Amino acid sequence: MQIKHFLLGVIFALIWSSAFPSAKIAVQYAPPFFILFLRFFFSGLLAVAIAKALGQKISFNKKDWLSIVAFGVLQNSIYLGLIFLAVTKIEANISVIVASILPLTVALFSWLFFNSKISILGVAGLLLGFSGVLVIMYQRAQSGSELIGIFLCFIALLATTIATLILSKINIKKENVLMIVGLQMIVGCIPLLPISYFFEKWVIYWHINFFLTFGYISLFPGIVAPLIWFYLQKEIGTVRFSSFHFL
């Protein structure tokens, strides 16, 4: 792995991990699904506008469009929607622990559905990793963490695992990566609006912490982190990139 890829992976891990406590702060001031709708709507439009200004075009074949839509719904609507809902019930560090086993689930699903080879050491690592998470989750459940919140995190993990594998099928190039980032966010915000409308009260507590948190999650976890993710996954592969989630 080249040093630039490693450094980008570390930056991604820092931004990615910061999104969970940021989500915990944000849901104190507004409903989780409504926050995500606003975040993806504005971040998506901003990313598409910048991409257009840079000369990137909305030009994809049918397969890529289907993959972009599937990724946007799974990663943004389902994964992040459930994570934001979960942090209203559990501590942010619990959701991070569950989400950090993404490399294990990606490797497992790649082996099951794409015939990717896993060494004996790799299998041992999968078993050890899952066992460790189960032990931690059991201890958290014993200490009073809400099981529904933990359950939501595991459903979210399944969604992001599938989304990660779908991303590997999209024809991502340096010339269109920002456009893809923007489009998948716009797709992701669409299912969140009716869910929020029917199940949440649109009340926002206008506090400086809300503005700072919303601005941060919209720009950094919203645009910068996916840019790094999409680029690195294309450069170093799905399984190797997902290992940065361990950080």
Side-chain angles (χ1 to χ4, degrees):
M1 183 185 299
Q2 296 181 30
I3 187 65
K4 68 175 182 178
H5 294 152
F6 175 77
L7 292 176
L8 282 173
V10 171
I11 293 172
F12 168 83
L14 291 172
I15 297 174
W16 176 84
S17 59
S18 71
F20 293 86
S22 298
K24 184 69 176 180
I25 296 172
V27 296
Q28 297 178 25
Y29 299 97
F33 292 118
F34 189 51
I35 291 176
L36 280 177
F37 165 74
L38 293 176
R39 166 187 162 179
F40 292 136
F41 180 75
F42 289 114
S43 296
L45 289 181
L46 178 61
V48 169
I50 295 174
K52 291 288 287 184
L54 294 174
Q56 298 185 18
K57 299 179 180 180
I58 304 177
S59 179
F60 304 98
N61 58 38
K62 183 178 180 181
K63 179 183 176 181
D64 285 340
W65 270 116
L66 289 174
S67 297
I68 290 171
V69 170
F71 179 88
V73 172
L74 285 167
Q75 180 67 21
N76 298 325
S77 305
I78 299 178
Y79 167 66
L80 286 173
L82 292 179
I83 289 295
F84 268 60
L85 182 60
V87 295
T88 64
K89 305 177 182 298
I90 59 176
E91 294 299 320
N93 60 351
I94 300 177
S95 62
V96 174
I97 293 170
V98 176
S100 67
I101 64 173
L102 178 65
L104 305 178
T105 55
V106 167
L108 178 61
F109 275 53
S110 296
W111 173 63
L112 289 174
F113 300 108
F114 299 102
N115 296 319
S116 297
K117 294 182 179 180
I118 302 180
S119 64
I120 296 177
L121 184 61
V123 173
L126 286 172
L127 294 175
L128 183 63
F130 279 120
S131 299
V133 170
L134 289 176
V135 169
I136 294 172
M137 290 300 101
Y138 176 77
Q139 293 175 340
R140 293 291 185 175
Q142 292 293 98
S143 66
S145 294
E146 291 195 31
L147 289 178
I148 183 63
I150 296 175
F151 176 74
L152 291 173
C153 287
F154 274 100
I155 298 299
L157 174 64
L158 177 62
T160 193
T161 299
I162 299 173
T164 300
L165 295 173
I166 289 175
L167 182 62
S168 65
K169 306 301 179 182
I170 301 177
N171 183 27
I172 298 176
K173 303 176 183 177
K174 292 181 180 179
E175 295 79 15
N176 66 8
V177 61
L178 184 56
M179 182 63 74
I180 293 175
V181 168
L183 291 175
Q184 59 88 24
M185 282 192 286
I186 293 174
V187 168
C189 82
I190 294 173
L192 294 169
L193 183 59
I195 294 174
S196 177
Y197 180 80
F198 287 109
F199 296 102
E200 295 179 330
K201 291 183 178 180
W202 288 0
V203 177
I204 298 178
Y205 296 96
W206 303 104
H207 190 277
I208 185 62
N209 289 342
F210 171 77
F211 288 106
L212 293 175
T213 304
F214 183 80
Y216 175 78
I217 62 177
S218 296
L219 292 176
F220 290 93
I223 297 178
V224 177
L227 267 177
I228 297 174
W229 176 5
F230 292 10
Y231 169 74
L232 281 184
Q233 184 159 320
K234 190 69 174 179
E235 290 289 307
I236 65 176
T238 302
V239 176
R240 292 183 71 185
F241 168 73
S242 64
S243 64
F244 281 105
H245 287 78
F246 279 130
L247 293 178

